[in-house]
Amino acid sequence: MKYISCSADQTREIAARLVKTFPEGAVICLDGEMGAGKTVFVQGCMKALGYDGRVTSPTFALCNEYSVADKTVLHYDLCRITDKDDLYSTGFYDSEADLTFVEWAGKECDGFENAVKIVISYGEKENERVIELDE
Ligand SMILES: Nc1ncnc2c1ncn2[C@@H]1O[C@H](COP(=O)(O)OP(=O)(O)OP(=O)(O)O)[C@@H](O)[C@H]1O
Ligand SMILES: [Mg+2]
């Protein structure tokens, strides 16, 4: 599926609709250039799940953990991870989270059978983004 977004808010709306279709335990692999809108996409998903807090890429921690409505959601950004052992020690490869978002997933998500792949790219117009979903 392919969606065209013309603003950050529209990306959040598309994300809010899509998050309802993600299966339990899904690993949402987000790829796309810097500033494409991966974090904005996660923000839209979290808001739709009922989360009121701030959603930003994990910086100091390798992973952000959000609790919302009995669910545990993990948010990784592999761009900042240089040591695979660090990633391993967060439980990344055997997590039992209800939902996991992975920015800059790259090949790291190929091993997950419950992966949902999303690629966000820049469109031709300013603020235009193309969101491609491949399950
Ligand atoms: N259609 C759009 N969808 C999403 N973001 C948009 C759109 N148009 C403009 N923007 C802007 O682009 C930026 C996207 O930033 P965001 O942090 O989500 O990118 P990212 O893909 O997570 O980047 P990084 O790789 O640095 O983590 C925001 O400043 C947002 O306001
Ligand atoms: Mg980001």
Side-chain angles (χ1 to χ4, degrees):
M1 284 297 278
K2 199 168 176 175
Y3 304 85
I4 307 288
S5 162
C6 297
S7 68
D9 276 343
Q10 204 179 348
T11 294
R12 290 189 188 94
E13 281 165 30
I14 292 165
R17 269 186 278 134
L18 288 176
V19 74
K20 307 219 156 80
T21 69
F22 298 153
E24 183 94 21
V27 179
I28 315 305
C29 302
L30 291 153
D31 282 291
E33 286 173 53
M34 242 183 176
K38 300 177 291 298
T39 303
V40 165
F41 187 93
V42 180
Q43 288 167 349
C45 291
M46 290 311 298
K47 180 128 192 272
L49 293 174
Y51 188 73
D52 280 334
R54 247 166 79 85
V55 172
T56 56
S57 281
T59 45
F60 299 111
L62 295 179
C63 154
N64 288 342
E65 183 172 329
Y66 315 117
S67 293
V68 59
D70 289 348
K71 292 200 192 303
T72 301
V73 182
L74 301 179
H75 183 186
Y76 286 88
D77 188 335
L78 302 192
C79 179
R80 298 164 213 272
I81 290 178
T82 50
D83 187 342
K84 291 286 153 66
D85 286 343
D86 287 347
L87 186 58
Y88 186 83
S89 64
T90 65
F92 180 73
Y93 298 101
D94 47 23
S95 158
E96 290 183 350
D98 295 294
L99 195 59
T100 302
F101 292 101
V102 188
E103 294 191 38
W104 292 101
K107 292 198 181 313
E108 217 51 62
C109 278
D110 288 354
F112 291 111
E113 60 180 37
N114 43 359
V116 175
K117 293 193 184 194
I118 294 174
V119 177
I120 308 179
S121 40
Y122 285 87
E124 286 170 12
K125 299 188 211 108
E126 200 187 347
N127 295 335
E128 188 178 278
R129 302 290 193 275
V130 182
I131 301 167
E132 282 176 278
L133 177 111
D134 164 27
E135 268 174 90

